[in-house]
Amino acid sequence: MILSADKLHAHICANACRSRTKRSVASKAITCSTNGASKKTTIHKLIEQQNTLLIPGVHDALSAKVLAHTGHVSAFVSGYAVSATLLGEPDVGLLTPPEMSRKTSQICMSIPQVPVIVDADTGGGNVLNVQRTIKQFIAAGAKGCTLEDQKWPKKSGSVRGKEVIGMDEHIAKVAAAREAIGDADFFLIARTDARATSSKRGLGEAINRANIYLEAGADASYVEGPRSIEELKEIGKRQKGLKACSMIYGSTTPLQSLTELSDMGYHMVFRPLSALYAATKALLDTYAQMLEVGKVTDLEQLLTFDQFNALVGMEEKLQYEEKYGRGEGQEKLHVRVPGLSRPI
């Protein structure tokens, strides 16, 4: 039996989304109810504490350590950034979910005290792929993800030529993700790229999709690519529930401060590429200077040997090695292995 779009929507929301989250947002106090039981994820709690949560981007374990060292309380693993740093390729669908999961695991291990949200792109395929991807991210240690409604192969949010899948198809993906999450401490953000599909109808379509994705089980929603301050404000007024947005230097969306976006009604602000662009600019300048004069002349732009070792925890590792290792004058540790005639 083939269901109409309306009936399919109702069927998915009534059955696959039994565990969907009911939200009440009053004065930006967030209560999350799943299966009738009160539940708040780590990200819900951070939003309550921060009012509007700033989420900078990281792309590897080192950038994550730097983020934590400077005092940030959350991080975002950007697919755009990982595609560039892991593959040296643009964000055009070349990065796979298993590669993203491995990178996420490395990042989460490097900053266990900082909750990490990861870019799930389109989830890797159909609803079965989405569920596998979600479970991999949970196992990797992530505390949430974004899941977008682009057609595959997807593209970066501000790149031309994007298309979106049917709304019902993404409703099913969101519902499948919610089911895969179960009782895990994991925050689901549904992203729509429908704004780019039409200059006249795109914004209204995007806001409609964002609201329906919330009904399907997302904890928050996110309209990618608003093109003016007026559009940012309109999304803030018309989009329901918890709202996220992204600020990228040079993209179609005008840059706004955290305070300005909070006043518009946003609860989460991603700055996914600022650190990547800053690091890349520093690399370009440093390599160019070495090529030109044979050395780095502006030493103020460099960490010292000791400063870098302190950042990555060298002394701590050396102390552990000395504590558990075999040093001069210490009694040797003897271990007998069955089948061997002498201790090793």
Side-chain angles (χ1 to χ4, degrees):
M1 179 179 66
I2 299 176
L3 299 178
S4 68
D6 290 341
K7 288 183 178 180
L8 177 61
H9 179 202
H11 176 76
I12 291 169
C13 290
N15 294 290
C17 295
R18 284 176 189 158
S19 64
R20 81 176 151 193
T21 308
K22 294 180 180 179
R23 299 153 191 82
S24 173
V25 182
S27 300
K28 291 195 173 182
I30 299 95
T31 300
C32 177
S33 175
T34 303
N35 287 331
S38 179
K39 177 188 175 183
K40 290 180 183 178
T41 68
T42 296
I43 302 301
H44 280 102
K45 294 173 184 176
L46 275 177
I47 295 171
E48 283 188 334
Q49 294 166 9
Q50 302 288 319
N51 197 37
T52 299
L53 180 62
L54 174 63
I55 313 171
V58 297
H59 49 272
D60 59 15
L62 178 59
S63 61
K65 277 189 174 292
V66 174
L67 171 138
H69 179 77
T70 56
H72 286 281
V73 297
S74 60
F76 178 63
V77 186
S78 158
Y80 176 109
V82 174
S83 184
T85 56
L86 181 65
L87 306 178
E89 297 284 0
D91 186 17
V92 291
L94 299 175
L95 186 70
T96 65
E99 288 173 323
M100 194 64 167
S101 179
R102 285 193 293 272
K103 182 58 64 178
T104 298
S105 177
Q106 294 166 356
I107 289 169
C108 290
M109 287 182 67
S110 74
I111 51 168
Q113 74 279 24
V114 177
V116 172
I117 298 174
V118 57
D119 183 357
D121 285 336
T122 64
N126 64 13
V127 292
L128 299 178
N129 300 104
V130 167
Q131 290 198 322
R132 183 180 181 217
T133 297
I134 294 293
K135 290 174 182 178
Q136 286 179 330
F137 287 153
I138 292 172
K143 293 299 183 182
C145 77
T146 58
L147 182 64
E148 65 196 58
D149 61 3
Q150 280 197 54
K151 279 187 178 181
W152 190 263
K154 58 89 61 189
K155 294 181 175 66
S156 172
S158 296
V159 173
R160 66 183 181 277
K162 294 190 303 179
E163 295 182 81
V164 293
I165 61 176
M167 183 166 60
D168 291 331
E169 185 178 351
H170 200 61
I171 289 170
K173 284 187 174 185
V174 171
R178 172 54 56 195
E179 183 175 298
I181 292 167
D183 294 328
D185 180 8
F186 196 82
F187 189 91
L188 178 61
I189 305 165
R191 163 180 152 175
T192 178
D193 286 72
R195 173 64 190 91
T197 60
S198 168
S199 60
K200 292 184 179 180
R201 300 183 301 277
L203 182 61
E205 169 73 6
I207 294 172
N208 184 47
R209 282 180 176 240
N211 288 335
I212 290 177
Y213 297 160
L214 279 175
E215 294 178 16
D219 292 299
S221 60
Y222 160 22
V223 173
E224 168 63 30
R227 300 178 181 179
S228 66
I229 294 175
E230 289 69 29
E231 287 193 4
L232 279 168
K233 290 179 178 179
E234 185 172 353
I235 293 167
K237 291 177 182 177
R238 293 174 54 195
Q239 191 175 321
K240 300 175 183 177
L242 297 178
K243 309 172 194 61
C245 69
S246 181
M247 295 281 109
I248 298 175
Y249 178 62
S251 74
T252 56
T253 303
L255 296 178
Q256 299 288 283
S257 71
L258 192 66
T259 299
E260 289 169 330
L261 291 166
S262 181
D263 290 343
M264 294 179 194
Y266 291 94
H267 305 86
M268 310 171 75
V269 177
F270 292 96
R271 295 193 181 272
L273 304 179
S274 298
L276 175 69
Y277 289 166
T280 304
K281 178 64 164 59
L283 288 171
L284 285 168
D285 291 346
T286 300
Y287 287 133
Q289 192 175 90
M290 284 194 289
L291 181 63
E292 182 178 354
V293 299
K295 64 177 182 178
V296 177
T297 56
D298 188 2
L299 297 180
E300 291 297 319
Q301 298 302 311
L302 303 181
L303 289 180
T304 66
F305 181 80
D306 288 340
Q307 287 172 333
F308 187 87
N309 285 343
L311 179 65
V312 296
M314 173 69 80
E315 183 61 30
E316 180 184 9
K317 293 297 187 289
L318 291 176
Q319 289 178 8
Y320 271 114
E321 188 177 49
E322 291 164 0
K323 179 179 179 180
Y324 296 107
R326 224 166 36 177
E328 287 282 334
Q330 291 182 338
E331 183 180 350
K332 291 184 178 180
L333 176 66
H334 294 277
V335 179
R336 292 191 175 274
V337 179
L340 295 178
S341 60
R342 59 185 177 83
I344 59 171

